[in-house]
């Protein structure tokens, strides 16, 4: 079983739609959680950190469910420019090595 | 600031050839990393350097060596390339190697081993 699992998609949605991705992690010692965005043939970039209380950044909302060991990303009012692959990332414990554990990513395609 | 730069952008090798992937960052970061990305696998850590003068193995170090040349530069060497090393290689850096530190990635090197 992979440490971090995501549905690879693709998720095809029309502009303006709301879409949500989930990501499950297997190690209960995981302490830090992130969503990265990767455009086609480009490098990953941090989209947002995921806090225990949940957090929002504009149209994006990230939530953590420790009991069920998953994190989610909600995108409201989807734009064409949101088309990308979204990578779920966790770090174990209070790691002082910065080792990121990546999911394989979920691909979103927003259609006009 | 250029951020994290990588050379070359593309490379084709024959099995058994060697090459070095170069990475440099101009953000004065202490920690640097090498990842490989394969379809369906996500990014996997090959080696990292928490600070200048130190290097440690990641999840998939076999077949690779690294050198932290100075604070700015972290190179990845394939001594004898194999087709299984066909991948996209990303270098990244962060201020420190802590759990909350954002990692900044370079544009990647696409390597094909025939």
């Amino acid at each position: 079983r992979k440490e971090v699992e995501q549905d690879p998609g693709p998720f095809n949605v029309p502009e303006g739609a709301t879409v949500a991705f989930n990501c499950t992690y297997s190690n209960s010692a995981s302490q830090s959680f992130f969503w990265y965005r990767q455009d086609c043939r480009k490098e990953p970039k941090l989209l947002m950190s995921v806090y225990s209380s949940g957090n929002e950044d504009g149209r994006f909302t990230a939530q953590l469910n420790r009991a069920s060991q998953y994190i989610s990303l909600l995108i409201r009012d989807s734009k064409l420019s949101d088309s990308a692959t979204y990578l779920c990332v966790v770090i174990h414990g209070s790691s002082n090595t910065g080792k990121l554990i990546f999911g394989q990513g979920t691909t979103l395609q927003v259609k006009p | 600031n250029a951020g994290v730069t990588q050379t070359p952008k593309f490379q084709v090798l024959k099995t058994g050839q060697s090459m070095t992937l170069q990475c440099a960052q101009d953000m004065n970061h202490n920690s640097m990393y090498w990842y490989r990305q394969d379809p369906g696998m996500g990014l996997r850590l090959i080696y990292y350097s928490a600070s200048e003068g130190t290097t440690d193995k990641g999840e998939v170090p076999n077949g690779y060596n690294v050198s932290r040349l100075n604070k700015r530069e972290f190179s990845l060497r394939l001594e004898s390339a194999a087709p299984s090393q066909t991948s996209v290689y990303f270098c990244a850096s962060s201020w420190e190697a802590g759990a909350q530190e954002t990692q900044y990635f370079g544009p990647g090197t696409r390597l094909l081993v025939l």
Side-chain angles (χ1 to χ4, degrees), chain A residues 2 32 34 36 38 41-44 46 49 51 87 91 93-100 102-104, chain B residues 10 33 35 37 40-43 45 48 50 57-58 90 97-103 105-108 110:
Chain A
K2 293 179 182 175
S32 301
F34 309 89
Y36 276 69
Q38 186 173 25
R41 302 181 71 79
K42 298 284 190 180
E43 71 272 22
L46 179 66
S49 301
Y51 303 122
L87 306 173
I91 295 182
S94 57
S95 170
N96 64 354
T97 63
K99 291 183 189 178
L100 304 182
F102 284 82
Q104 68 177 45
Chain B
F10 305 95
Y33 313 82
Y35 295 88
Q37 186 174 33
M41 297 294 295
L43 280 86
L45 183 65
Y48 68 99
K57 294 178 181 179
F90 288 101
Q100 293 300 325
E101 295 293 330
T102 300
Q103 291 191 14
F105 286 79
R110 284 163 176 76

mmCIF file of all heavy atoms in Angstrom, chain A residues 2 32 34 36 38 41-44 46 49 51 87 91 93-100 102-104, chain B residues 10 33 35 37 40-43 45 48 50 57-58 90 97-103 105-108 110:
data_model
loop_
_atom_site.group_PDB
_atom_site.id
_atom_site.type_symbol
_atom_site.label_atom_id
_atom_site.label_comp_id
_atom_site.label_asym_id
_atom_site.label_seq_id
_atom_site.Cartn_x
_atom_site.Cartn_y
_atom_site.Cartn_z
ATOM 1 N N LYS A 2 0.549 2.210 -0.856
ATOM 2 C CA LYS A 2 1.322 3.439 -0.915
ATOM 3 C C LYS A 2 1.069 4.248 0.348
ATOM 4 O O LYS A 2 -0.027 4.233 0.911
ATOM 5 C CB LYS A 2 0.920 4.250 -2.136
ATOM 6 C CG LYS A 2 1.303 3.596 -3.459
ATOM 7 C CD LYS A 2 0.844 4.447 -4.632
ATOM 8 C CE LYS A 2 1.184 3.773 -5.948
ATOM 9 N NZ LYS A 2 0.647 4.513 -7.094
ATOM 10 N N SER A 32 2.601 16.879 9.146
ATOM 11 C CA SER A 32 2.507 18.066 8.299
ATOM 12 C C SER A 32 1.953 17.664 6.942
ATOM 13 O O SER A 32 2.323 16.623 6.396
ATOM 14 C CB SER A 32 3.887 18.716 8.123
ATOM 15 O OG SER A 32 4.421 19.081 9.370
ATOM 16 N N PHE A 34 0.400 19.101 2.984
ATOM 17 C CA PHE A 34 0.444 20.183 2.006
ATOM 18 C C PHE A 34 -0.265 19.758 0.732
ATOM 19 O O PHE A 34 -0.376 18.571 0.432
ATOM 20 C CB PHE A 34 1.904 20.521 1.636
ATOM 21 C CG PHE A 34 2.804 20.755 2.808
ATOM 22 C CD1 PHE A 34 3.484 19.698 3.396
ATOM 23 C CD2 PHE A 34 2.980 22.026 3.323
ATOM 24 C CE1 PHE A 34 4.314 19.894 4.480
ATOM 25 C CE2 PHE A 34 3.810 22.237 4.412
ATOM 26 C CZ PHE A 34 4.482 21.173 4.988
ATOM 27 N N TYR A 36 0.451 20.615 -3.264
ATOM 28 C CA TYR A 36 1.280 21.238 -4.287
ATOM 29 C C TYR A 36 0.523 21.177 -5.608
ATOM 30 O O TYR A 36 -0.262 20.266 -5.847
ATOM 31 C CB TYR A 36 2.618 20.512 -4.450
ATOM 32 C CG TYR A 36 3.707 20.923 -3.484
ATOM 33 C CD1 TYR A 36 3.613 20.617 -2.126
ATOM 34 C CD2 TYR A 36 4.825 21.610 -3.931
ATOM 35 C CE1 TYR A 36 4.613 20.982 -1.238
ATOM 36 C CE2 TYR A 36 5.842 21.985 -3.055
ATOM 37 C CZ TYR A 36 5.729 21.663 -1.705
ATOM 38 O OH TYR A 36 6.732 22.033 -0.849
ATOM 39 N N GLN A 38 1.066 21.130 -9.832
ATOM 40 C CA GLN A 38 2.042 20.915 -10.890
ATOM 41 C C GLN A 38 1.367 21.077 -12.247
ATOM 42 O O GLN A 38 0.487 20.285 -12.601
ATOM 43 C CB GLN A 38 2.684 19.537 -10.776
ATOM 44 C CG GLN A 38 3.810 19.310 -11.768
ATOM 45 C CD GLN A 38 4.553 18.011 -11.548
ATOM 46 O OE1 GLN A 38 4.021 17.058 -10.997
ATOM 47 N NE2 GLN A 38 5.817 17.958 -11.961
ATOM 48 N N ARG A 41 4.300 19.367 -17.448
ATOM 49 C CA ARG A 41 5.718 19.467 -17.790
ATOM 50 C C ARG A 41 6.436 20.604 -17.057
ATOM 51 O O ARG A 41 7.416 21.162 -17.541
ATOM 52 C CB ARG A 41 5.909 19.599 -19.304
ATOM 53 C CG ARG A 41 5.297 18.422 -20.073
ATOM 54 C CD ARG A 41 5.527 18.562 -21.567
ATOM 55 N NE ARG A 41 6.920 18.352 -21.924
ATOM 56 C CZ ARG A 41 7.517 17.189 -22.045
ATOM 57 N NH1 ARG A 41 6.842 16.086 -21.797
ATOM 58 N NH2 ARG A 41 8.775 17.107 -22.400
ATOM 59 N N LYS A 42 5.901 20.959 -15.901
ATOM 60 C CA LYS A 42 6.524 21.994 -15.087
ATOM 61 C C LYS A 42 6.865 21.421 -13.711
ATOM 62 O O LYS A 42 6.538 20.280 -13.405
ATOM 63 C CB LYS A 42 5.568 23.185 -14.904
ATOM 64 C CG LYS A 42 5.193 23.863 -16.187
ATOM 65 C CD LYS A 42 6.306 24.722 -16.717
ATOM 66 C CE LYS A 42 5.831 25.577 -17.873
ATOM 67 N NZ LYS A 42 6.925 26.432 -18.390
ATOM 68 N N GLU A 43 7.497 22.254 -12.882
ATOM 69 C CA GLU A 43 7.846 21.798 -11.555
ATOM 70 C C GLU A 43 6.683 21.974 -10.581
ATOM 71 O O GLU A 43 5.829 22.829 -10.777
ATOM 72 C CB GLU A 43 9.071 22.578 -11.034
ATOM 73 C CG GLU A 43 8.819 24.028 -10.692
ATOM 74 C CD GLU A 43 8.996 24.949 -11.881
ATOM 75 O OE1 GLU A 43 8.897 24.477 -13.028
ATOM 76 O OE2 GLU A 43 9.208 26.149 -11.653
ATOM 77 N N PRO A 44 6.652 21.187 -9.491
ATOM 78 C CA PRO A 44 5.623 21.376 -8.454
ATOM 79 C C PRO A 44 5.843 22.696 -7.715
ATOM 80 O O PRO A 44 6.975 23.131 -7.513
ATOM 81 C CB PRO A 44 5.856 20.193 -7.503
ATOM 82 C CG PRO A 44 6.710 19.232 -8.244
ATOM 83 C CD PRO A 44 7.529 20.043 -9.193
ATOM 84 N N LEU A 46 4.198 24.918 -4.220
ATOM 85 C CA LEU A 46 3.320 24.853 -3.063
ATOM 86 C C LEU A 46 2.042 25.632 -3.325
ATOM 87 O O LEU A 46 2.080 26.806 -3.682
ATOM 88 C CB LEU A 46 4.025 25.411 -1.834
ATOM 89 C CG LEU A 46 3.196 25.415 -0.560
ATOM 90 C CD1 LEU A 46 2.882 23.985 -0.100
ATOM 91 C CD2 LEU A 46 3.913 26.177 0.553
ATOM 92 N N SER A 49 -0.555 24.954 2.663
ATOM 93 C CA SER A 49 -0.389 24.018 3.769
ATOM 94 C C SER A 49 -1.769 23.638 4.275
ATOM 95 O O SER A 49 -2.752 24.347 4.038
ATOM 96 C CB SER A 49 0.421 24.657 4.892
ATOM 97 O OG SER A 49 1.690 25.058 4.428
ATOM 98 N N TYR A 51 -3.847 22.818 7.695
ATOM 99 C CA TYR A 51 -3.790 22.909 9.146
ATOM 100 C C TYR A 51 -4.927 22.096 9.766
ATOM 101 O O TYR A 51 -5.949 21.841 9.134
ATOM 102 C CB TYR A 51 -3.884 24.370 9.592
ATOM 103 C CG TYR A 51 -2.812 25.233 8.992
ATOM 104 C CD1 TYR A 51 -3.139 26.350 8.218
ATOM 105 C CD2 TYR A 51 -1.461 24.933 9.152
ATOM 106 C CE1 TYR A 51 -2.153 27.136 7.652
ATOM 107 C CE2 TYR A 51 -0.472 25.710 8.587
ATOM 108 C CZ TYR A 51 -0.827 26.818 7.836
ATOM 109 O OH TYR A 51 0.154 27.586 7.270
ATOM 110 N N LEU A 87 -0.942 17.658 -6.140
ATOM 111 C CA LEU A 87 -0.161 16.660 -5.417
ATOM 112 C C LEU A 87 -0.388 16.797 -3.929
ATOM 113 O O LEU A 87 -0.215 17.875 -3.361
ATOM 114 C CB LEU A 87 1.338 16.836 -5.714
ATOM 115 C CG LEU A 87 1.748 16.851 -7.189
ATOM 116 C CD1 LEU A 87 3.227 17.213 -7.321
ATOM 117 C CD2 LEU A 87 1.493 15.501 -7.819
ATOM 118 N N ILE A 91 4.478 14.906 5.633
ATOM 119 C CA ILE A 91 5.773 14.715 6.299
ATOM 120 C C ILE A 91 5.498 13.986 7.596
ATOM 121 O O ILE A 91 4.572 14.319 8.336
ATOM 122 C CB ILE A 91 6.466 16.055 6.573
ATOM 123 C CG1 ILE A 91 6.813 16.747 5.262
ATOM 124 C CG2 ILE A 91 7.730 15.835 7.409
ATOM 125 C CD1 ILE A 91 7.543 18.060 5.439
ATOM 126 N N GLY A 93 5.936 12.815 11.390
ATOM 127 C CA GLY A 93 6.381 13.316 12.673
ATOM 128 C C GLY A 93 6.818 14.760 12.614
ATOM 129 O O GLY A 93 6.315 15.569 11.839
ATOM 130 N N SER A 94 7.784 15.096 13.411
ATOM 131 C CA SER A 94 8.319 16.459 13.428
ATOM 132 C C SER A 94 9.636 16.468 12.679
ATOM 133 O O SER A 94 10.594 17.102 13.089
ATOM 134 C CB SER A 94 8.524 16.919 14.873
ATOM 135 O OG SER A 94 9.391 16.012 15.539
ATOM 136 N N SER A 95 9.617 15.769 11.558
ATOM 137 C CA SER A 95 10.835 15.518 10.786
ATOM 138 C C SER A 95 11.731 16.743 10.693
ATOM 139 O O SER A 95 11.278 17.824 10.358
ATOM 140 C CB SER A 95 10.441 15.076 9.371
ATOM 141 O OG SER A 95 11.574 15.044 8.543
ATOM 142 N N ASN A 96 12.991 16.544 10.985
ATOM 143 C CA ASN A 96 13.954 17.625 10.777
ATOM 144 C C ASN A 96 14.755 17.390 9.511
ATOM 145 O O ASN A 96 15.790 17.975 9.304
ATOM 146 C CB ASN A 96 14.900 17.740 11.973
ATOM 147 C CG ASN A 96 15.750 16.496 12.151
ATOM 148 O OD1 ASN A 96 15.551 15.515 11.448
ATOM 149 N ND2 ASN A 96 16.654 16.523 13.080
ATOM 150 N N THR A 97 14.244 16.488 8.674
ATOM 151 C CA THR A 97 14.927 16.233 7.418
ATOM 152 C C THR A 97 14.172 16.827 6.237
ATOM 153 O O THR A 97 14.686 16.843 5.131
ATOM 154 C CB THR A 97 15.068 14.715 7.156
ATOM 155 O OG1 THR A 97 13.767 14.153 7.025
ATOM 156 C CG2 THR A 97 15.813 14.042 8.292
ATOM 157 N N GLY A 98 12.966 17.289 6.471
ATOM 158 C CA GLY A 98 12.190 17.869 5.378
ATOM 159 C C GLY A 98 11.777 16.878 4.329
ATOM 160 O O GLY A 98 11.470 17.250 3.205
ATOM 161 N N LYS A 99 11.753 15.596 4.651
ATOM 162 C CA LYS A 99 11.421 14.595 3.639
ATOM 163 C C LYS A 99 9.934 14.643 3.333
ATOM 164 O O LYS A 99 9.102 14.333 4.179
ATOM 165 C CB LYS A 99 11.774 13.192 4.130
ATOM 166 C CG LYS A 99 13.248 12.912 4.247
ATOM 167 C CD LYS A 99 13.442 11.461 4.661
ATOM 168 C CE LYS A 99 14.869 11.164 5.001
ATOM 169 N NZ LYS A 99 15.064 9.771 5.441
ATOM 170 N N LEU A 100 9.630 15.013 2.091
ATOM 171 C CA LEU A 100 8.247 15.057 1.644
ATOM 172 C C LEU A 100 7.855 13.710 1.050
ATOM 173 O O LEU A 100 8.614 13.133 0.280
ATOM 174 C CB LEU A 100 8.073 16.136 0.578
ATOM 175 C CG LEU A 100 8.495 17.566 0.922
ATOM 176 C CD1 LEU A 100 8.204 18.480 -0.255
ATOM 177 C CD2 LEU A 100 7.801 18.044 2.168
ATOM 178 N N PHE A 102 5.135 12.195 -1.389
ATOM 179 C CA PHE A 102 4.174 12.674 -2.373
ATOM 180 C C PHE A 102 3.177 11.593 -2.759
ATOM 181 O O PHE A 102 3.537 10.418 -2.923
ATOM 182 C CB PHE A 102 4.894 13.095 -3.655
ATOM 183 C CG PHE A 102 5.600 14.409 -3.584
ATOM 184 C CD1 PHE A 102 6.858 14.509 -3.021
ATOM 185 C CD2 PHE A 102 5.013 15.554 -4.100
ATOM 186 C CE1 PHE A 102 7.516 15.712 -2.959
ATOM 187 C CE2 PHE A 102 5.669 16.770 -4.051
ATOM 188 C CZ PHE A 102 6.924 16.851 -3.484
ATOM 189 N N GLY A 103 1.937 11.997 -2.968
ATOM 190 C CA GLY A 103 0.994 11.171 -3.677
ATOM 191 C C GLY A 103 1.267 11.277 -5.169
ATOM 192 O O GLY A 103 2.051 12.122 -5.606
ATOM 193 N N GLN A 104 0.601 10.425 -5.955
ATOM 194 C CA GLN A 104 0.881 10.437 -7.394
ATOM 195 C C GLN A 104 0.189 11.588 -8.101
ATOM 196 O O GLN A 104 0.493 11.862 -9.258
ATOM 197 C CB GLN A 104 0.465 9.111 -8.022
ATOM 198 C CG GLN A 104 -1.033 8.869 -8.031
ATOM 199 C CD GLN A 104 -1.372 7.560 -8.734
ATOM 200 O OE1 GLN A 104 -0.749 6.533 -8.529
ATOM 201 N NE2 GLN A 104 -2.398 7.608 -9.571
ATOM 202 N N PHE B 10 17.242 18.505 -20.969
ATOM 203 C CA PHE B 10 16.979 17.207 -21.589
ATOM 204 C C PHE B 10 18.298 16.475 -21.787
ATOM 205 O O PHE B 10 19.325 17.110 -22.021
ATOM 206 C CB PHE B 10 16.298 17.348 -22.960
ATOM 207 C CG PHE B 10 15.046 18.153 -22.956
ATOM 208 C CD1 PHE B 10 15.077 19.504 -23.261
ATOM 209 C CD2 PHE B 10 13.827 17.571 -22.646
ATOM 210 C CE1 PHE B 10 13.911 20.261 -23.260
ATOM 211 C CE2 PHE B 10 12.660 18.313 -22.647
ATOM 212 C CZ PHE B 10 12.705 19.666 -22.950
ATOM 213 N N TYR B 33 17.593 19.046 -2.232
ATOM 214 C CA TYR B 33 17.026 17.717 -2.423
ATOM 215 C C TYR B 33 17.088 17.330 -3.898
ATOM 216 O O TYR B 33 16.999 18.195 -4.778
ATOM 217 C CB TYR B 33 15.549 17.705 -1.990
ATOM 218 C CG TYR B 33 15.282 18.354 -0.655
ATOM 219 C CD1 TYR B 33 15.148 19.736 -0.552
ATOM 220 C CD2 TYR B 33 15.149 17.593 0.502
ATOM 221 C CE1 TYR B 33 14.905 20.347 0.666
ATOM 222 C CE2 TYR B 33 14.901 18.192 1.728
ATOM 223 C CZ TYR B 33 14.781 19.563 1.799
ATOM 224 O OH TYR B 33 14.540 20.167 3.011
ATOM 225 N N TYR B 35 14.843 14.673 -6.402
ATOM 226 C CA TYR B 35 13.702 13.776 -6.572
ATOM 227 C C TYR B 35 13.690 13.238 -7.996
ATOM 228 O O TYR B 35 14.186 13.864 -8.913
ATOM 229 C CB TYR B 35 12.376 14.521 -6.365
ATOM 230 C CG TYR B 35 12.125 15.061 -4.989
ATOM 231 C CD1 TYR B 35 12.571 16.327 -4.620
ATOM 232 C CD2 TYR B 35 11.398 14.320 -4.054
ATOM 233 C CE1 TYR B 35 12.317 16.827 -3.348
ATOM 234 C CE2 TYR B 35 11.134 14.827 -2.780
ATOM 235 C CZ TYR B 35 11.598 16.073 -2.455
ATOM 236 O OH TYR B 35 11.333 16.577 -1.191
ATOM 237 N N GLN B 37 10.599 11.726 -10.734
ATOM 238 C CA GLN B 37 9.154 11.603 -10.920
ATOM 239 C C GLN B 37 8.877 10.659 -12.064
ATOM 240 O O GLN B 37 9.316 10.888 -13.191
ATOM 241 C CB GLN B 37 8.509 12.971 -11.202
ATOM 242 C CG GLN B 37 6.988 12.900 -11.257
ATOM 243 C CD GLN B 37 6.349 14.275 -11.389
ATOM 244 O OE1 GLN B 37 6.896 15.185 -12.007
ATOM 245 N NE2 GLN B 37 5.174 14.451 -10.794
ATOM 246 N N GLY B 40 2.595 7.558 -12.390
ATOM 247 C CA GLY B 40 1.915 6.688 -11.435
ATOM 248 C C GLY B 40 2.640 6.495 -10.123
ATOM 249 O O GLY B 40 2.147 5.773 -9.249
ATOM 250 N N MET B 41 3.804 7.125 -9.951
ATOM 251 C CA MET B 41 4.602 6.901 -8.731
ATOM 252 C C MET B 41 4.706 8.139 -7.861
ATOM 253 O O MET B 41 5.125 8.063 -6.734
ATOM 254 C CB MET B 41 6.023 6.453 -9.108
ATOM 255 C CG MET B 41 6.084 5.143 -9.843
ATOM 256 S SD MET B 41 5.566 3.785 -8.806
ATOM 257 C CE MET B 41 6.847 3.785 -7.573
ATOM 258 N N GLY B 42 4.402 9.290 -8.379
ATOM 259 C CA GLY B 42 4.644 10.506 -7.613
ATOM 260 C C GLY B 42 6.134 10.811 -7.566
ATOM 261 O O GLY B 42 6.955 10.094 -8.148
ATOM 262 N N LEU B 43 6.491 11.853 -6.888
ATOM 263 C CA LEU B 43 7.902 12.198 -6.729
ATOM 264 C C LEU B 43 8.499 11.376 -5.596
ATOM 265 O O LEU B 43 7.884 11.227 -4.535
ATOM 266 C CB LEU B 43 8.067 13.684 -6.398
ATOM 267 C CG LEU B 43 7.984 14.641 -7.569
ATOM 268 C CD1 LEU B 43 6.555 15.024 -7.848
ATOM 269 C CD2 LEU B 43 8.816 15.884 -7.292
ATOM 270 N N LEU B 45 12.118 10.779 -3.241
ATOM 271 C CA LEU B 45 13.356 11.415 -2.844
ATOM 272 C C LEU B 45 14.536 10.483 -3.086
ATOM 273 O O LEU B 45 14.529 9.332 -2.648
ATOM 274 C CB LEU B 45 13.284 11.800 -1.361
ATOM 275 C CG LEU B 45 14.454 12.550 -0.774
ATOM 276 C CD1 LEU B 45 14.583 13.932 -1.413
ATOM 277 C CD2 LEU B 45 14.297 12.678 0.734
ATOM 278 N N TYR B 48 19.246 13.851 -0.190
ATOM 279 C CA TYR B 48 19.066 15.223 0.261
ATOM 280 C C TYR B 48 20.299 15.656 1.036
ATOM 281 O O TYR B 48 21.106 14.831 1.486
ATOM 282 C CB TYR B 48 17.793 15.382 1.091
ATOM 283 C CG TYR B 48 17.812 14.681 2.436
ATOM 284 C CD1 TYR B 48 18.089 15.376 3.600
ATOM 285 C CD2 TYR B 48 17.526 13.311 2.529
ATOM 286 C CE1 TYR B 48 18.097 14.727 4.825
ATOM 287 C CE2 TYR B 48 17.545 12.664 3.746
ATOM 288 C CZ TYR B 48 17.824 13.379 4.892
ATOM 289 O OH TYR B 48 17.830 12.723 6.107
ATOM 290 N N ALA B 50 20.811 18.252 4.141
ATOM 291 C CA ALA B 50 20.164 19.134 5.117
ATOM 292 C C ALA B 50 20.948 20.430 5.290
ATOM 293 O O ALA B 50 20.361 21.483 5.566
ATOM 294 C CB ALA B 50 20.005 18.416 6.452
ATOM 295 N N LYS B 57 20.807 9.579 2.281
ATOM 296 C CA LYS B 57 19.994 8.845 1.321
ATOM 297 C C LYS B 57 18.513 9.112 1.563
ATOM 298 O O LYS B 57 18.063 9.286 2.700
ATOM 299 C CB LYS B 57 20.254 7.336 1.450
ATOM 300 C CG LYS B 57 21.660 6.931 1.072
ATOM 301 C CD LYS B 57 21.859 5.440 1.264
ATOM 302 C CE LYS B 57 23.287 5.036 0.896
ATOM 303 N NZ LYS B 57 23.534 3.586 1.102
ATOM 304 N N GLY B 58 17.780 9.118 0.451
ATOM 305 C CA GLY B 58 16.338 9.182 0.530
ATOM 306 C C GLY B 58 15.742 7.819 0.288
ATOM 307 O O GLY B 58 16.307 6.799 0.686
ATOM 308 N N PHE B 90 13.952 16.291 -10.477
ATOM 309 C CA PHE B 90 13.749 17.624 -9.930
ATOM 310 C C PHE B 90 14.686 17.851 -8.752
ATOM 311 O O PHE B 90 14.822 17.002 -7.876
ATOM 312 C CB PHE B 90 12.306 17.809 -9.433
ATOM 313 C CG PHE B 90 11.291 17.916 -10.531
ATOM 314 C CD1 PHE B 90 10.509 16.834 -10.873
ATOM 315 C CD2 PHE B 90 11.119 19.115 -11.210
ATOM 316 C CE1 PHE B 90 9.558 16.924 -11.878
ATOM 317 C CE2 PHE B 90 10.172 19.217 -12.226
ATOM 318 C CZ PHE B 90 9.401 18.122 -12.564
ATOM 319 N N ALA B 97 15.664 22.215 6.806
ATOM 320 C CA ALA B 97 15.083 20.904 6.513
ATOM 321 C C ALA B 97 13.938 20.584 7.460
ATOM 322 O O ALA B 97 13.668 19.432 7.725
ATOM 323 C CB ALA B 97 16.155 19.825 6.602
ATOM 324 N N GLY B 98 13.262 21.575 7.972
ATOM 325 C CA GLY B 98 12.176 21.343 8.910
ATOM 326 C C GLY B 98 10.882 20.960 8.241
ATOM 327 O O GLY B 98 10.692 21.149 7.042
ATOM 328 N N ALA B 99 9.975 20.451 9.039
ATOM 329 C CA ALA B 99 8.719 19.928 8.513
ATOM 330 C C ALA B 99 7.846 21.016 7.911
ATOM 331 O O ALA B 99 7.025 20.751 7.053
ATOM 332 C CB ALA B 99 7.971 19.199 9.625
ATOM 333 N N GLN B 100 7.993 22.239 8.346
ATOM 334 C CA GLN B 100 7.114 23.305 7.858
ATOM 335 C C GLN B 100 7.751 24.161 6.782
ATOM 336 O O GLN B 100 7.178 25.152 6.361
ATOM 337 C CB GLN B 100 6.684 24.194 9.029
ATOM 338 C CG GLN B 100 5.786 23.496 10.032
ATOM 339 C CD GLN B 100 4.497 22.995 9.401
ATOM 340 O OE1 GLN B 100 3.939 23.616 8.504
ATOM 341 N NE2 GLN B 100 4.036 21.837 9.848
ATOM 342 N N GLU B 101 8.938 23.758 6.339
ATOM 343 C CA GLU B 101 9.627 24.590 5.363
ATOM 344 C C GLU B 101 9.121 24.315 3.960
ATOM 345 O O GLU B 101 9.036 23.161 3.523
ATOM 346 C CB GLU B 101 11.133 24.313 5.414
ATOM 347 C CG GLU B 101 11.791 24.714 6.708
ATOM 348 C CD GLU B 101 11.786 26.215 6.908
ATOM 349 O OE1 GLU B 101 11.812 26.951 5.912
ATOM 350 O OE2 GLU B 101 11.763 26.650 8.068
ATOM 351 N N THR B 102 8.827 25.362 3.229
ATOM 352 C CA THR B 102 8.415 25.230 1.834
ATOM 353 C C THR B 102 9.607 24.834 0.984
ATOM 354 O O THR B 102 10.689 25.409 1.114
ATOM 355 C CB THR B 102 7.851 26.567 1.316
ATOM 356 O OG1 THR B 102 6.726 26.928 2.112
ATOM 357 C CG2 THR B 102 7.436 26.446 -0.143
ATOM 358 N N GLN B 103 9.406 23.860 0.119
ATOM 359 C CA GLN B 103 10.453 23.486 -0.825
ATOM 360 C C GLN B 103 10.170 24.126 -2.179
ATOM 361 O O GLN B 103 9.035 24.135 -2.645
ATOM 362 C CB GLN B 103 10.536 21.966 -0.962
ATOM 363 C CG GLN B 103 11.060 21.299 0.303
ATOM 364 C CD GLN B 103 11.411 19.839 0.131
ATOM 365 O OE1 GLN B 103 11.518 19.325 -0.977
ATOM 366 N NE2 GLN B 103 11.607 19.149 1.250
ATOM 367 N N PHE B 105 11.142 24.132 -6.176
ATOM 368 C CA PHE B 105 11.647 23.174 -7.147
ATOM 369 C C PHE B 105 12.233 23.867 -8.375
ATOM 370 O O PHE B 105 11.775 24.941 -8.782
ATOM 371 C CB PHE B 105 10.518 22.244 -7.603
ATOM 372 C CG PHE B 105 10.136 21.237 -6.570
ATOM 373 C CD1 PHE B 105 9.327 21.577 -5.501
ATOM 374 C CD2 PHE B 105 10.592 19.930 -6.658
ATOM 375 C CE1 PHE B 105 8.978 20.642 -4.533
ATOM 376 C CE2 PHE B 105 10.248 18.972 -5.707
ATOM 377 C CZ PHE B 105 9.447 19.335 -4.634
ATOM 378 N N GLY B 106 13.234 23.222 -8.946
ATOM 379 C CA GLY B 106 13.745 23.635 -10.237
ATOM 380 C C GLY B 106 12.856 23.125 -11.355
ATOM 381 O O GLY B 106 11.923 22.358 -11.104
ATOM 382 N N PRO B 107 13.150 23.498 -12.616
ATOM 383 C CA PRO B 107 12.290 23.161 -13.742
ATOM 384 C C PRO B 107 12.375 21.714 -14.197
ATOM 385 O O PRO B 107 11.578 21.273 -15.010
ATOM 386 C CB PRO B 107 12.766 24.106 -14.853
ATOM 387 C CG PRO B 107 14.186 24.375 -14.499
ATOM 388 C CD PRO B 107 14.254 24.383 -13.010
ATOM 389 N N GLY B 108 13.338 20.960 -13.681
ATOM 390 C CA GLY B 108 13.425 19.542 -14.012
ATOM 391 C C GLY B 108 14.404 19.239 -15.138
ATOM 392 O O GLY B 108 14.687 20.086 -15.995
ATOM 393 N N ARG B 110 14.770 16.142 -17.978
ATOM 394 C CA ARG B 110 14.142 14.946 -18.558
ATOM 395 C C ARG B 110 15.221 14.049 -19.125
ATOM 396 O O ARG B 110 15.933 14.456 -20.042
ATOM 397 C CB ARG B 110 13.128 15.354 -19.623
ATOM 398 C CG ARG B 110 11.876 15.885 -18.986
ATOM 399 C CD ARG B 110 10.969 16.682 -19.899
ATOM 400 N NE ARG B 110 9.749 17.050 -19.196
ATOM 401 C CZ ARG B 110 9.652 18.009 -18.294
ATOM 402 N NH1 ARG B 110 10.709 18.731 -17.992
ATOM 403 N NH2 ARG B 110 8.504 18.263 -17.684
#
